[in-house]
């Protein structure tokens, strides 16, 4: 046990539900999380923030977190928007976008007329019947429907209630078209591994801390990263009966850092 | 072949895409369908109309079809709304309704405060982010989420374009809750068999004519009814490569009647 544990050199941290709880008022930091991130840095652990957040640009996320007292630079944040933009540019695609208005700046300069694919993010109020129908009509006309989903989260907690995430709307279009979306973001292994490569580490030297048993813990463990589940954010007690077994289940990020530092 | 065919004594007919094409202007009868239904009656075949229509009450459907020249009585029409009402009354449920405003009269007198189940019909403009979130919050709080879906159609054709049906929205809530909906309507065998019993016939004496390879043809054949696929409505050529193999594929309802009358 000790032998394998001494190798942990880097942390991937989910943001919402781990660093802070989101809310229409900007949310609030989870107790102990600001100090926990600082402690990681002080102890020489490399840190990246790996989030399926698609309501805000990386800059917006960074600014929000700085207000809560977290220290970071934009380049440490990994979100699905830059990842899908890379695909769009490489494949010269013209997407129909169902995304949050706040991330539209990321897509500036991308041609969207006569669309030949659909990108679905956490669009919140833009998850309209009309938009979903438009997306469906593009996809159903394609031999191999090109649907990119920015994460496939089921729901998240906001303002003390659970809210549908992008995943259910992706599932709706998948069912309608009889096709499978390409998930850009967690739990896609390539997304985790991009962050691991950026750390200059191997997957088994890294811990992923998240509140989503499937997307965070399951996704990380599927590519050899150890997954720690925290009892904050969208965590629910039945997650501990899930088929996916985390490396550890702890009360919050501070406890996760404690746990790893003591190994 | 002839032996088994001589037994056909009754027809179950899908409505939208078989009798008429829907549209915001009331739609239009499919060429030959009015005469085809009359021919069935003249030749002594018993007829029932089996539809997943949940935008209109049975009375509304009857009135619309009569305007197009079809003859029928309300009691010949089988739709999911009366079927789900029966369940709600038997189990004393208090549903949260995401249904078309035009079918709300069907639910008069049903208690909906402090809801303990969700009924999802073809709500069209009422498929809002807000309504889906409300439904999700009811379901996610239940140990065994009670979600009733009025049919599970993927899409239908309206005003010359394809439109999302109730199925994708059901799939969204199923994915979000990790639970399976109870489908009331086609392809639920009980729904077909209720109509067959009303005909006083056995399933193998009955033909189902529909434009949906899965819901109409697959559903019927799963309970011993012969399924005929018509090339009208939502039919698409690739349906003929589907794993479900209809008893026959014909151009329209008139051709289906021809086909059976000549057996």
């Amino acid at each position: 046990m000790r032998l394998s544990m001494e190798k942990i050199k880097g942390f991937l941290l989910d943001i919402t539900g781990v660093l802070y709880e989101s809310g229409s008022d900007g949310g609030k930091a989870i107790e102990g999380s600001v100090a926990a991130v600082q402690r990681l840095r002080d102890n020489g652990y490399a840190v990246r923030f790996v989030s399926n957040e698609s309501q805000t640009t990386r800059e917006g996320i960074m600014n929000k977190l700085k207000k809560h007292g977290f220290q970071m630079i934009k380049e440490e944040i990994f979100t699905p928007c830059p990842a899908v933009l890379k695909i769009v540019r490489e494949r010269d695609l013209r997407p129909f976008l169902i995304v949050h208005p706040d991330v539209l700046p990321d897509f500036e300069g991308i041609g969207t007329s006569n669309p030949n694919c659909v990108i679905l993010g956490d669009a919140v109020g833009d998850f309209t019947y009309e938009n979903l129908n438009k997306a469906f009509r593009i996809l159903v006309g394609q031999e191999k429907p090109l649907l990119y989903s920015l994460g496939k989260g089921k729901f998240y907690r906001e303002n003390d209630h659970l809210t549908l995430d992008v995943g259910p709307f992706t599932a709706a279009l998948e069912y309608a078209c009889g096709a499978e979306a390409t998930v850009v973001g967690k739990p896609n292994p390539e997304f985790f591994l991009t962050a691991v490569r950026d750390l200059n580490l191997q997957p088994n030297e890294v811990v992923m801390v998240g509140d989503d048993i499937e997307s965070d813990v399951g996704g990380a463990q599927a590519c050899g990263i150890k997954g720690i589940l925290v009892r904050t954010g969208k965590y629910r007690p039945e997650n501990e009966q899930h088929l996916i077994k985390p490396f550890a289940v702890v009360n919050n990020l501070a406890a996760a850092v404690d746990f790893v530092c003591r190994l």
Side-chain angles (χ1 to χ4, degrees), chain A residues 22-204:
Chain A
S22 66
S24 55
D25 54 351
K28 59 170 199 262
I30 291 170
E31 207 184 321
S33 286
V34 171
V37 174
Q38 195 51 52
R39 185 174 169 205
L40 284 181
R41 299 200 191 270
D42 293 345
N43 282 280
Y45 290 103
V47 181
R48 294 294 181 274
F49 304 92
V50 179
S51 168
N52 276 355
E53 171 71 56
S54 65
Q55 281 191 27
T56 323
T57 59
R58 290 193 297 165
E59 196 140 18
I61 294 169
M62 179 187 69
N63 291 337
K64 186 158 59 179
L65 290 173
K66 279 189 169 175
K67 274 186 200 156
H68 291 302
F70 293 98
Q71 296 303 314
M72 63 184 60
I73 56 169
K74 194 176 79 172
E75 288 68 23
E76 290 172 328
I77 303 173
F78 287 76
T79 62
C81 273
V84 82
L85 271 163
K86 191 164 173 277
I87 295 171
V88 164
R89 290 201 178 101
E90 279 170 4
R91 303 186 58 174
D92 204 15
L93 296 170
R94 301 179 306 276
F96 174 67
L97 299 169
I98 304 186
V99 297
H100 196 283
D102 288 353
V103 296
L104 283 175
D106 274 356
F107 293 91
E108 257 178 37
I110 299 291
T112 55
S113 63
N114 189 22
N116 58 6
C117 74
V118 171
I119 296 178
L120 207 58
D122 181 10
V124 188
D126 280 6
F127 282 130
T128 63
Y129 180 63
E130 192 189 350
N131 273 340
L132 292 168
N133 268 307
K134 277 188 193 167
F136 167 65
R137 286 172 199 140
I138 292 162
L139 297 170
V140 80
Q142 300 184 314
E143 197 183 336
K144 192 172 162 4
L146 271 185
L147 170 62
Y148 294 98
S149 181
L150 306 187
K152 212 186 165 186
K154 293 179 171 180
F155 56 87
Y156 50 88
R157 182 175 293 279
E158 183 167 76
N159 295 331
D160 270 346
H161 54 221
L162 299 177
T163 298
L164 292 170
D165 197 350
V166 62
F169 298 94
T170 302
L173 289 176
E174 288 181 323
Y175 179 75
C177 302
E180 206 174 328
T182 301
V183 177
V184 180
K186 299 177 285 186
N188 186 324
E190 187 48 38
F191 189 66
F192 287 103
L193 294 175
T194 301
V196 170
R197 278 193 296 269
D198 196 58
L199 288 168
N200 275 317
L201 294 174
Q202 295 302 311
N204 63 2

Side-chain angles (χ1 to χ4, degrees), chain A residues 12-26:
Chain A
L12 304 182
L13 304 182
D14 182 27
I15 295 179
T16 311
V18 173
L19 298 190
Y20 86 117
E21 301 280 7
S22 66
S24 55
D25 54 351

